[in-house]
Amino acid sequence: IYCLQREHNLIRQVLLFFVFLGGSLVCSETWRYSVAEETEIGSFIGNVVKDIGLGVEDLAARGARVIFDDYKPHLRLDLQTGNLLLNEQPDREALCDLTEPCILHFQVLLENPLQFFRAELWVEDINDHTPTFTNKHILLKISESTAPGTSFQMDSAQDLDVGKNGVQNYTLNPNLHFHLKLQDSEDGRKYPELLLDQPLDREKEPELRLTLTALDGGSPARSGTALVRVLVLDINDNAPQFERSVYEVPIPENSPLDFLVVRVSATDLDAGINGELSYSFSHVSRDIQKTFEIHPIFGEVRLKAFLDFELLQSYTINIQATDGGGLSGKSVILVSVVDVNDNPPEVVVTSLTSPIPENSSPEMVVAVFSLRDQDSGDNGRMVCSIQDNLPFLLKPNFKNFYTLETESPLDRESKAEYIITITVTDMGTPRLKTEHNITVLVSDVNDNAPTFTQTSYTLWVRENNSPALHIGSVSATDTDAGANAQVTYSLLPPPDPLVPLASLVSINPDNGHLFALTSLDYEALRAFEFHVGATDRGSPALSSQALVRVLVADNASAPCTELVPRAAEPGYLVTKVVAVDGDAGQNAWLSYQLLKVRTARLLSERDAPKQRLVVLVKDNGEPPLSASVTLHVLLVDGFSQPYLPAPEAEAAAAAPADPLTVYLVVALASVSSLFLFSVLVFVAVRLCRRAGATSAGRCPVLEGHFPGHLVDVSGTGTLSQSYQYEVCLTGGTGTREFKVLKSVASNHRGSMINVEENSDFLNGFGFN
């Protein structure tokens, strides 16, 4: 294994200039390691920690990795020790064929911060192949008139090994006529030639058999043999001659099979069989034999395999023309492969960070990738770009490496995912383009506070509500995601410490529902307001607040309707109200502004048929509490006037009833009909016994304002809540009173309702 080695002074100057341009991303030194082919997997190659000068802990922290130029994992880096270990068993012949030395270039990449270290892996050849002759039986036809010193070119042996392990020498078994001479070819290899030492005599010895042995330079040496059969012919004193000694032929790499490369031609002045020529390749390599073929009669050289400029750029083909007498002429075909733009650019992503936080700083490295185009010249020059209007940019680095970095701030709420298309175009004709998509996700950070749907909320709640009553809701939204968008609601401390907010309302922290904790009293607290907060679960948590105003509605009675005949005389009793207070002593002393409502004068046709009257009662406590009831008085000509439904009743009648309500109404109507029939029979019997009985109709419900000059108020009573009274009076002396008291306050404690006699009698006629 080679240690770290300095480059030539001139190369160092070029590298220093490159480092000056690229900053400290690329080390100006190249480390060289070597390994023998077929070395076992896992073998130790070198230690990058010692060469780079970093600590072992820096390897994992900085994301160290090994990248070869051919992107194959020949080596692997042990991040625990910094050792370079063999990842696959190398085969020099498969990696480099006949190229010597066999060098695999790679880089040691450190991601954070980004830094490159160049290195080379030299694969050393071992003697694992035996020299072989393509034709183990070689036939030479030599005229007996051939002069001594004439050479006969032999096919060279092929050895997949290189250097000293390749073919180094040839030997020939001892004989009287020939000896062996080694020649050097243009590619540096040796090939044998037979030199004639003594003239041949076909009559004495028409055929010779020689053994040609090829030896490599390995230790121990390997050898291969071929049988050379020499046929002695009659005199042929003219050897073939090619038209040109060298044929130079350019050929595009995309040429089809059977493509005519060149047609060679040679002439022979001899006649007959001695002038008949046969064309063939001479001591050519395996690649040439697999790629080209020559027609033995016409001399046409054609393709038998596809060319690839990226693998081999030129071929040197030795050809010979042999006449019937065994003489041959030589020529060379130099084939240059012309590159065409047949390889699109390649994009290899070596590192990708996704997702990235939306508060990432500019110039954050998101991805590291490299470009490669196997073509040459303009066909291999590339231009790389991404879409416009993206918060990212590309930066070129060492040896076609690029980094994708953030250019401007990100906002996940605006865009949470970017599909970045890396477009690479070469400069060839036609231009080839490759597109590679990278998906980058943006992760959320808590940069948005919750926002209420309203800056203030107004909620209404009727007094005397039941505890834990849901009185309304507040709602806030957060444009962040995950825990950063989960909102928790809370009550904020009131600015006035005297307001017992904690005993009045509570809020559900999950959904913002507000609940009244106690029963509210309109006379004690008509309105109050407070602030609610919405806090997300991010870190740090963000919050906002909104104002909530709660208005307490007075629990006033529903309007009651009374009938008064227009013929009523002054002092006519319209109705009577009774109030009850659950307190004792002075707190239960009640004062009425209206008790009994009487007519103050005779009614006339000019009076409005609808009158409205409000009765107010107050206690004598501290502070005083009050309640009210509304009376609707309808002036009628007589109680026989048809019943007029109130607007509320009309609206209720217009509303569609559900099936259960219909069934209940039908059942109630049936029972009521039977009961009414029984009452009518009873009344009929009583009417027969009493004279002057007055028939009564159902009380209509209408609204109107009752002027003060039409009523008279007297008496006292107690009333702790608002009630509804519905009373129907008959005409006449007004001595008979029917009263029904209904409470509309469901949670009133200690309420007492006084109902006088004869209410059942009126109910029988439909009065309430």
Side-chain angles (χ1 to χ4, degrees):
I1 298 175
Y2 293 109
C3 298
L4 192 154
Q5 180 175 323
R6 300 285 185 177
E7 296 290 330
H8 191 271
N9 291 337
L10 179 58
I11 298 177
R12 288 186 60 188
Q13 294 175 3
V14 174
L15 289 174
L16 289 173
F17 177 74
F18 181 82
V19 172
F20 175 76
L21 292 178
S24 61
L25 296 179
V26 183
C27 178
S28 61
E29 299 174 348
T30 300
W31 289 277
R32 181 177 297 171
Y33 305 91
S34 65
V35 61
E37 66 172 329
E38 298 185 7
T39 301
E40 293 297 326
I41 296 175
S43 299
F44 174 81
I45 303 301
N47 188 281
V48 298
V49 173
K50 297 179 181 179
D51 296 339
I52 297 176
L54 298 176
V56 175
E57 64 276 6
D58 294 334
L59 296 180
R62 297 183 62 182
R65 64 185 66 187
V66 174
I67 303 175
F68 278 82
D69 285 2
D70 59 357
Y71 298 100
K72 294 182 179 179
H74 301 295
L75 299 178
R76 64 182 177 88
L77 176 61
D78 189 347
L79 299 180
Q80 303 297 326
T81 62
N83 292 336
L84 286 174
L85 303 178
L86 200 60
N87 199 43
E88 57 184 20
Q89 195 174 51
D91 185 355
R92 194 209 63 79
E93 288 74 31
L95 293 173
C96 301
D97 199 4
L98 298 178
T99 303
E100 180 67 17
C102 181
I103 303 175
L104 302 178
H105 299 275
F106 68 96
Q107 295 82 35
V108 178
L109 169 65
L110 301 179
E111 290 186 0
N112 187 19
L114 186 64
Q115 194 171 9
F116 295 87
F117 297 90
R118 298 179 299 180
E120 297 174 349
L121 178 63
W122 291 50
V123 181
E124 298 177 349
D125 183 51
I126 63 174
N127 193 22
D128 56 346
H129 294 88
T130 300
T132 58
F133 289 90
T134 305
N135 189 359
K136 293 184 177 296
H137 295 83
I138 302 173
L139 176 63
L140 290 179
K141 297 178 181 180
I142 302 177
S143 174
E144 62 180 350
S145 62
T146 301
T150 303
S151 63
F152 300 92
Q153 183 174 315
M154 310 295 294
D155 288 339
S156 58
Q158 305 293 323
D159 194 330
L160 296 178
D161 296 324
V162 296
K164 67 177 182 179
N165 294 327
V167 177
Q168 301 294 322
N169 194 19
Y170 293 88
T171 61
L172 188 68
N173 64 308
N175 63 91
L176 297 176
H177 296 280
F178 297 92
H179 77 274
L180 198 62
K181 180 182 179 181
L182 299 182
Q183 298 288 349
D184 294 327
S185 63
E186 293 180 0
D187 57 4
R189 294 184 296 173
K190 299 179 184 297
Y191 65 91
E193 286 186 350
L194 286 180
L195 268 70
L196 184 61
D197 294 330
Q198 295 182 9
L200 299 174
D201 188 354
R202 189 191 63 81
E203 289 74 22
K204 290 183 180 181
E205 196 172 9
E207 181 177 337
L208 299 175
R209 290 180 178 270
L210 307 175
T211 300
L212 179 63
T213 303
L215 299 171
D216 62 22
S219 180
R222 294 173 178 263
S223 63
T225 61
L227 177 63
V228 181
R229 182 174 169 231
V230 180
L231 294 179
V232 182
L233 305 177
D234 284 337
I235 294 175
N236 180 23
D237 54 355
N238 289 291
Q241 296 290 326
F242 280 94
E243 294 176 345
R244 289 183 288 179
S245 59
V246 178
Y247 293 86
E248 295 183 358
V249 181
I251 177 173
E253 65 170 324
N254 60 348
S255 299
L257 296 180
D258 203 38
F259 179 79
L260 178 62
V261 179
V262 67
R263 180 181 286 108
V264 298
S265 178
T267 59
D268 194 319
L269 299 178
D270 292 326
I273 191 173
N274 293 327
E276 296 178 0
L277 303 181
S278 174
Y279 299 96
S280 63
F281 293 139
S282 175
H283 59 275
V284 294
S285 64
R286 274 187 314 159
D287 287 337
I288 293 177
Q289 292 178 353
K290 291 190 299 183
T291 307
F292 302 94
E293 62 182 357
I294 187 171
H295 196 281
I297 297 176
F298 301 111
E300 295 177 346
V301 179
R302 295 182 179 273
L303 283 178
K304 61 185 295 188
F306 291 108
L307 301 176
D308 191 346
F309 175 85
E310 289 70 36
L311 294 179
L312 201 57
Q313 292 80 37
S314 64
Y315 296 89
T316 300
I317 306 174
N318 295 313
I319 59 173
Q320 64 180 6
T322 305
D323 60 18
L327 298 180
S328 61
K330 302 176 184 178
S331 182
V332 177
I333 302 175
L334 300 179
V335 178
S336 58
V337 182
V338 179
D339 183 39
V340 297
N341 196 24
D342 59 345
N343 291 284
E346 300 176 16
V347 179
V348 179
V349 178
T350 59
S351 175
L352 175 62
T353 302
S354 177
I356 58 176
E358 60 178 321
N359 61 347
S360 300
S361 60
E363 299 186 357
M364 174 186 174
V365 177
V366 178
V368 179
F369 63 92
S370 61
L371 308 179
R372 183 177 69 170
D373 194 321
Q374 298 182 12
D375 295 322
S376 62
D378 289 341
N379 297 333
R381 285 200 292 270
M382 295 168 289
V383 177
C384 183
S385 64
I386 60 175
Q387 311 102 293
D388 296 330
N389 302 322
L390 288 179
F392 301 94
L393 57 83
L394 290 179
K395 282 189 178 180
N397 285 285
F398 165 73
K399 199 176 181 180
N400 288 334
F401 275 88
Y402 287 79
T403 56
L404 178 68
E405 302 178 1
T406 57
E407 181 181 25
S408 58
L410 305 176
D411 186 4
R412 188 206 64 82
E413 289 70 36
S414 299
K415 192 168 185 179
E417 178 183 275
Y418 292 91
I419 299 178
I420 303 172
T421 301
I422 301 174
T423 303
V424 185
T425 307
D426 61 24
M427 306 303 293
T429 303
R431 294 191 175 187
L432 300 180
K433 181 175 68 173
T434 297
E435 293 184 348
H436 185 86
N437 291 331
I438 294 178
T439 300
V440 178
L441 302 178
V442 181
S443 60
D444 184 54
V445 297
N446 195 24
D447 57 349
N448 291 282
T451 303
F452 280 94
T453 56
Q454 301 173 214
T455 58
S456 63
Y457 297 82
T458 301
L459 306 178
W460 287 87
V461 58
R462 189 170 294 278
E463 68 171 336
N464 301 322
N465 58 285
S466 59
L469 176 68
H470 176 227
I471 61 175
S473 302
V474 295
S475 178
T477 58
D478 195 317
T479 55
D480 291 323
N484 296 332
Q486 296 178 4
V487 179
T488 301
Y489 301 92
S490 62
L491 297 177
L492 300 181
D496 186 1
L498 299 179
V499 178
L501 182 62
S503 62
L504 293 177
V505 293
S506 67
I507 189 169
N508 188 317
D510 296 326
N511 53 31
H513 290 178
L514 290 166
F515 299 90
L517 296 179
T518 61
S519 178
L520 301 176
D521 188 356
Y522 172 80
E523 288 73 21
L525 182 63
R526 298 193 176 186
F528 62 95
E529 60 184 29
F530 54 91
H531 286 86
V532 293
T535 306
D536 59 28
R537 298 184 181 177
S539 179
L542 301 178
S543 63
S544 62
Q545 61 182 16
L547 177 65
V548 178
R549 182 178 294 106
V550 178
L551 302 178
V552 181
D554 187 19
N555 200 0
S557 301
C560 304
T561 302
E562 305 294 346
L563 297 180
V564 177
R566 290 185 180 273
E569 297 181 357
Y572 177 86
L573 179 61
V574 177
T575 187
K576 184 178 180 179
V577 296
V578 178
V580 177
D581 194 318
D583 295 325
Q586 183 177 342
N587 294 332
W589 297 352
L590 303 180
S591 60
Y592 293 87
Q593 292 182 346
L594 291 177
L595 175 58
K596 292 184 179 180
V597 182
R598 298 180 181 272
T599 56
R601 62 173 175 81
L602 288 175
L603 303 176
S604 64
E605 295 294 335
R606 292 191 302 272
D607 294 322
K610 301 176 184 177
Q611 304 293 335
R612 182 174 179 271
L613 178 64
V614 178
V615 180
L616 179 66
V617 60
K618 292 183 179 180
D619 60 19
N620 201 29
E622 186 63 38
L625 302 179
S626 64
S628 62
V629 66
T630 301
L631 297 178
H632 289 172
V633 178
L634 176 64
L635 303 182
V636 297
D637 293 334
F639 290 121
S640 61
Q641 184 172 342
Y643 170 73
L644 299 178
E648 294 83 353
E650 293 177 357
D658 55 38
L660 181 59
T661 304
V662 174
Y663 298 151
L664 293 176
V665 170
V666 170
L668 183 59
S670 301
V671 175
S672 300
S673 299
L674 292 176
F675 177 74
L676 181 60
F677 178 75
S678 301
V679 172
L680 289 177
V681 172
F682 175 76
V683 171
V685 173
R686 294 289 299 271
L687 289 178
C688 292
R689 298 177 181 177
R690 297 182 182 180
T694 304
S695 61
R698 189 178 177 88
C699 297
V701 181
L702 295 174
E703 293 185 357
H705 297 280
F706 206 108
H709 63 275
L710 295 180
V711 299
D712 178 40
V713 182
S714 63
T716 60
T718 60
L719 187 64
S720 59
Q721 298 292 334
S722 298
Y723 290 89
Q724 171 181 330
Y725 297 88
E726 296 180 0
V727 181
C728 294
L729 303 179
T730 61
T733 61
T735 58
R736 190 169 300 187
E737 300 177 359
F738 301 99
K739 295 174 286 298
V740 178
L741 177 61
K742 289 185 178 179
S743 172
V744 296
S746 61
N747 62 337
H748 176 63
R749 293 171 299 181
S751 297
M752 297 179 61
I753 302 175
N754 295 331
V755 182
E756 295 192 4
E757 294 182 350
N758 299 327
S759 60
D760 292 338
F761 177 80
L762 290 176
N763 288 336
F765 287 92
F767 294 104
N768 293 325

